[in-house]
Amino acid sequence: MKCHTLGFAALLSFGLHLHAASVHVDVSSDGDIAVDVGAKPKSFSRPERGRSGQPIRTSGKTAHKLEEYQVDLDNGIHGGVLSENGKFVTFKNIPYAEPPIGDNRFFGPIPIQKRTEGVNYGLVENVCPQAQVGWAPKAMEFLRDFPNAPALAKWTDPITAADYGPTQYPPKNARTNPADPVSEDCLTLDVVVPKSVWDSRKSNGMKAAVVAWVHGGGVTMMGQDAGASSIMHHIAAPSYLRVQTQGAIVQSAGFFPQPNITQEDEKYTKFLELTGAKDVEALYTADTKILQDANAKMVHNSKYGYFDFGPTVDGYYVRDLPGKILARPDNDVYFPALLVGHEKLDGLLFTPPWIRTTEALLNYVRELFPGVPQAVLDTIASEYKIPTNLGPQASLLAVADFFDDIAIQCNSVYFTEASNKANQRTYHPVFQYVFNALPATHGYDTGASAPHADHSPKQPYYPSPPIIPPVDATLAKFFQKAIVDFSRYVDPNPADVETWKPYKSDNKKVMNMGSPSQHTKPDYTPSFGDDLMNSTLCEYWRSAPWYVAPKSKGRGSGQRLVVQDDARDTFSQEL
């Protein structure tokens, strides 16, 4: 999917995970190349609206004679373009589901129902509605100031939505071309085929390996931050709905577990106010501009370091928090081979720079999670205590540890531990890394894993000028090769060399991208060492002690409403 998640879709328990697609490239024995978009698409039962349908299936060869760099899919003929260097054929904007507009808004994707005539060269580049949190520019500035302790003196006052400035929509640099239209009709993907694979389609019946990048961030799925957490939700989904994959590369899987039902209701009410809608039925048919504006305002005004919208437990696709599902001994989760990792200082990006004492941290937690039990606050005060004699940098790093654990790094623990237990039945290796090379902030590893066209590994996620210095070329090449080898062979090691051993329950080892003990001078040397994560503390956060999941809507039974009172007592009643 080539889009950031629609915040208002996430609001309706339909987060970033449901509109992903699988991609399969087959080089067949009879010389055809086929791209199966959305393999085994699902039909969804809609409550009194929308339509379901089976995917288009055509028999025999098309009457249209295919020209060079054209493929005939079930939904029509698509044309590719050879890159300037002659190494890749790119097919752009291939639809993989019916547009989520009209009766399909807010529902799961359904198979394409009508074959398109002519040849699609992907000239229409619809960009999904998206928005940026208002605190992001200030967070970038803070990260640039962080290495210089005296510069942190200007970051002592709390930052609220009133300090963010005007809502920026569309967000700056969200689109590669400002002329591209913003539309909910954006369920498309690009397929980049190596020229060598294209040329071999008539000479062998081998299937080509595929990497599917989940934006945010197929056969091997790859994602970072929100894209990585999307993969986490896919893997934890019910067996009859999930996307099957042979491997997954999960980089700093990040999301804030939604805190309680009351807060979700408040967001829903706020969204209705901004749109002028009476209820969700009115949102189904509301003008897209009205929805986009309301979404942009709510996302923009998110608390510093937090996101108002994200994956939400709906009792159907997201049955519970992924970490809790992965821990269940009787879960039906299928674990692919995994390459999992995070940054040493992931949480610093989300850390409010004015929080430098234990009491200030506790007050902020109370704001994020209203009704948080005192026992949870006591645990935070104990485990993330900030001594009064610490300097500003050390104090902020102590706060960052908290955000690391609850939103990002413990997800690596949940993945590896659950997968290792599952591997007692069916073995799929798990490889784990920690990116320690300074500045080691959130997203820095993607600068090492995704080089630009000029072969210089640069940070591709943030606006120019980059918020980080150039990465080390040697480490970048090591990391890139590991990712390529894992994608091809589900093993990040070079041929006949095992420098990166699988993570095991009885041998918890990770690949350190740079020394874990570096402080001021960057170190870029890869080395294999012990996993330093506090798994006991992660186990505590796995239970999400501030969170109460909604009851699943059982088929044929009334919907049940779960009410949370001070995050300690719950009761349910029939609607």
Side-chain angles (χ1 to χ4, degrees):
M1 181 173 70
K2 304 197 309 177
C3 63
H4 288 295
T5 305
L6 284 171
F8 55 80
L11 169 70
L12 298 174
S13 302
F14 204 80
L16 52 86
H17 45 279
L18 283 182
H19 275 167
S22 57
V23 189
H24 204 101
V25 177
D26 288 349
V27 182
S28 63
S29 58
D30 62 359
D32 290 333
I33 185 168
V35 184
D36 181 8
V37 182
K40 297 182 180 178
K42 315 296 188 303
S43 294
F44 286 79
S45 177
R46 304 285 169 79
E48 300 181 1
R49 54 185 296 278
R51 67 179 186 275
S52 61
Q54 295 301 316
I56 299 170
R57 288 289 179 257
T58 57
S59 59
K61 297 293 183 179
T62 175
H64 176 91
K65 180 176 175 56
L66 296 179
E67 299 178 4
E68 183 70 315
Y69 310 133
Q70 289 185 354
V71 294
D72 188 356
L73 307 184
D74 288 336
N75 58 30
I77 297 173
H78 301 268
V81 177
L82 184 66
S83 62
E84 291 184 3
N85 61 13
K87 293 183 178 180
F88 300 96
V89 181
T90 299
F91 299 84
K92 293 182 66 65
N93 299 307
I94 300 175
Y96 61 82
E98 281 287 297
I101 58 179
D103 285 348
N104 294 329
R105 178 183 277 170
F106 300 154
F107 284 104
I110 65 172
I112 294 175
Q113 302 297 300
K114 183 179 180 181
R115 182 178 173 87
T116 302
E117 299 301 323
V119 180
N120 172 32
Y121 281 96
L123 301 180
V124 178
E125 183 91 29
N126 283 350
V127 176
C128 286
Q130 51 196 287
Q132 179 64 282
V133 288
W135 53 265
K138 292 189 177 295
M140 303 301 129
E141 183 182 355
F142 164 62
L143 288 183
R144 288 191 289 268
D145 286 344
F146 182 78
N148 180 17
L152 296 177
K154 71 179 185 182
W155 295 99
T156 56
D157 294 330
I159 298 171
T160 67
D163 304 308
Y164 295 165
T167 303
Q168 188 180 86
Y169 185 78
K172 186 178 180 181
N173 289 327
R175 294 179 285 168
T176 56
N177 183 354
D180 293 337
V182 174
S183 171
E184 293 177 69
D185 181 3
C186 59
L187 299 188
T188 62
L189 48 77
D190 297 343
V191 177
V192 181
V193 183
K195 182 65 160 52
S196 58
V197 172
W198 177 266
D199 291 340
S200 68
R201 70 194 190 283
K202 295 184 181 299
S203 60
N204 65 66
M206 298 293 291
K207 292 183 177 181
V210 179
V211 172
W213 175 261
V214 181
H215 188 58
V219 260
T220 297
M221 290 194 294
M222 182 177 179
Q224 187 266 349
D225 187 34
S229 70
S230 175
I231 293 174
M232 186 176 188
H233 283 79
H234 275 309
I235 290 176
S239 58
Y240 54 90
L241 290 174
R242 76 171 63 104
V243 175
Q244 295 290 348
T245 174
Q246 72 168 3
I249 301 173
V250 184
Q251 298 178 263
S252 296
F255 75 102
F256 282 93
Q258 297 301 306
N260 64 44
I261 306 302
T262 301
Q263 279 190 293
E264 294 305 289
D265 285 344
E266 291 174 352
K267 294 174 189 176
Y268 172 62
T269 300
K270 179 64 175 178
F271 195 76
L272 291 179
E273 291 175 356
L274 291 174
T275 58
K278 289 195 312 179
D279 51 30
V280 69
E281 290 291 335
L283 292 176
Y284 289 146
T285 57
D287 182 85
T288 186
K289 178 69 165 56
I290 294 175
L291 296 184
Q292 291 180 35
D293 287 347
N295 179 66
K297 289 177 183 177
M298 289 190 67
V299 171
H300 179 270
N301 291 335
S302 297
K303 289 184 181 297
Y304 191 105
Y306 190 70
F307 302 85
D308 269 354
F309 295 122
T312 304
V313 175
D314 62 5
Y316 176 62
Y317 195 86
V318 184
R319 298 166 289 178
D320 203 339
L321 295 178
K324 296 172 72 173
I325 292 176
L326 297 178
R328 294 172 183 166
D330 59 344
N331 69 57
D332 60 350
V333 174
Y334 167 82
F335 286 95
L338 292 172
L339 177 60
V340 181
H342 57 262
E343 298 281 348
K344 180 180 180 180
L345 303 179
D346 266 316
L348 196 59
L349 175 65
F350 312 100
T351 298
W354 65 91
I355 297 181
R356 305 181 188 185
T357 66
T358 303
E359 188 56 37
L361 174 59
L362 295 178
N363 287 336
Y364 201 69
V365 171
R366 292 185 183 101
E367 292 181 27
L368 289 181
F369 310 130
V372 57
Q374 185 60 45
V376 176
L377 294 173
D378 292 343
T379 298
I380 296 172
S382 173
E383 297 292 342
Y384 304 94
K385 184 177 181 179
I386 305 172
T388 56
N389 61 343
L390 290 184
Q393 291 165 312
S395 298
L396 288 165
L397 289 177
V399 177
D401 283 344
F402 169 74
F403 289 98
D404 272 331
D405 288 349
I406 68 168
I408 302 173
Q409 293 185 359
C410 284
N411 289 331
S412 295
V413 175
Y414 305 152
F415 256 136
T416 52
E417 289 189 351
S419 184
N420 269 289
K421 291 179 180 178
N423 282 340
Q424 297 173 6
R425 303 187 298 269
T426 304
Y427 180 69
H428 292 99
V430 182
F431 301 91
Q432 188 168 339
Y433 74 86
V434 179
F435 214 95
N436 301 298
L438 293 177
T441 51
H442 191 66
Y444 184 45
D445 56 344
T446 61
S449 62
H452 282 206
D454 62 358
H455 304 292
S456 61
K458 300 174 182 176
Q459 171 54 265
Y461 271 80
Y462 300 129
S464 297
I467 64 168
I468 58 173
V471 303
D472 179 74
T474 301
L475 177 59
K477 290 178 181 178
F478 174 85
F479 196 28
Q480 292 163 21
K481 190 174 190 318
I483 287 175
V484 171
D485 285 341
F486 179 85
S487 299
R488 297 178 68 184
Y489 314 116
V490 293
D491 187 341
N493 292 288
D496 302 323
V497 178
E498 189 178 37
T499 57
W500 190 339
K501 298 180 184 297
Y503 188 100
K504 298 287 186 65
S505 297
D506 57 354
N507 189 30
K508 299 181 177 181
K509 301 286 186 179
V510 302
M511 180 60 72
N512 287 300
M513 304 296 175
S515 169
S517 61
Q518 58 186 292
H519 295 289
T520 56
K521 185 178 180 180
D523 176 89
Y524 301 106
T525 307
S527 62
F528 204 59
D530 292 333
D531 180 10
L532 303 180
M533 282 293 296
N534 186 336
S535 58
T536 301
L537 194 53
C538 286
E539 189 59 37
Y540 175 78
W541 291 121
R542 185 203 298 271
S543 67
W546 65 85
Y547 179 88
V548 176
K551 296 292 185 181
S552 178
K553 302 174 186 177
R555 294 183 179 180
S557 63
Q559 180 179 347
R560 299 185 71 85
L561 172 66
V562 178
V563 181
Q564 178 169 306
D565 180 20
D566 199 30
R568 284 169 286 193
D569 301 313
T570 64
F571 65 90
S572 62
Q573 62 186 34
E574 292 288 340
L575 290 179

